[in-house]
Amino acid sequence: QVQLVESGGGLVHTGGSLRLSCAASGRTFSTYVMGWFRQAPGKEREFVAAINWSGAITKYADNVKGRFTISTDNAKNTLFLQMNSLKPEDTAVYYCAAGASIAAMTTRGYWGQGTQVTVSS
């Protein structure tokens, strides 16, 4: 049983930066992969980034690579997403997720409530 709570969303101008946080509680096993997904109005949910708790393995969607950085604070069981050079197309609700794999997050994983990110043009 895992609980995930996102925070850090808000309004930012094009080219600005924002850092999202995801606080995890309960049984957060070392074998679980952590990730960020996002969903814009009228769009499908899409993968953004993923990481294992040690930080040894990371993966990014092509359209955020070089701009976004995913990381963890293991002592605090917290996941982060640093977002730089933000664009209007980054506007979406961002969700924190945990699962046995990236694919498993969407079918059998744990999810937070989401946090809104809005990038003005």
Side-chain angles (χ1 to χ4, degrees), residues 71-111:
S71 63
T72 63
D73 184 333
N74 291 20
K76 297 180 179 180
N77 283 342
T78 302
L79 175 72
F80 302 100
L81 184 68
Q82 178 66 47
M83 305 184 294
N84 299 326
S85 301
L86 283 163
K87 308 173 182 179
E89 50 263 45
D90 294 318
T91 295
V93 177
Y94 284 69
Y95 297 92
C96 174
S101 66
I102 296 174
M105 292 178 190
T106 63
T107 58
R108 300 164 49 238
Y110 298 95
W111 292 80

Side-chain angles (χ1 to χ4, degrees), residues 5-115:
V5 181
E6 302 97 334
S7 62
L11 175 65
V12 67
H13 65 277
T14 298
S17 298
L18 205 59
R19 189 175 81 158
L20 306 183
S21 299
C22 172
S25 60
R27 300 183 70 182
T28 54
F29 306 125
S30 61
T31 54
Y32 271 39
V33 177
M34 303 297 298
W36 290 97
F37 290 75
R38 67 186 184 186
Q39 187 168 22
K43 300 290 185 65
E44 295 180 344
R45 178 181 59 190
E46 65 175 338
F47 168 78
V48 176
I51 191 171
N52 68 323
W53 281 105
S54 71
I57 302 172
T58 58
K59 184 177 181 180
Y60 297 91
D62 288 342
N63 57 359
V64 306
K65 190 172 184 178
R67 299 189 297 121
F68 292 9
T69 303
I70 188 170
S71 63
T72 63
D73 184 333
N74 291 20
K76 297 180 179 180
N77 283 342
T78 302
L79 175 72
F80 302 100
L81 184 68
Q82 178 66 47
M83 305 184 294
N84 299 326
S85 301
L86 283 163
K87 308 173 182 179
E89 50 263 45
D90 294 318
T91 295
V93 177
Y94 284 69
Y95 297 92
C96 174
S101 66
I102 296 174
M105 292 178 190
T106 63
T107 58
R108 300 164 49 238
Y110 298 95
W111 292 80
Q113 294 275 39
T115 186

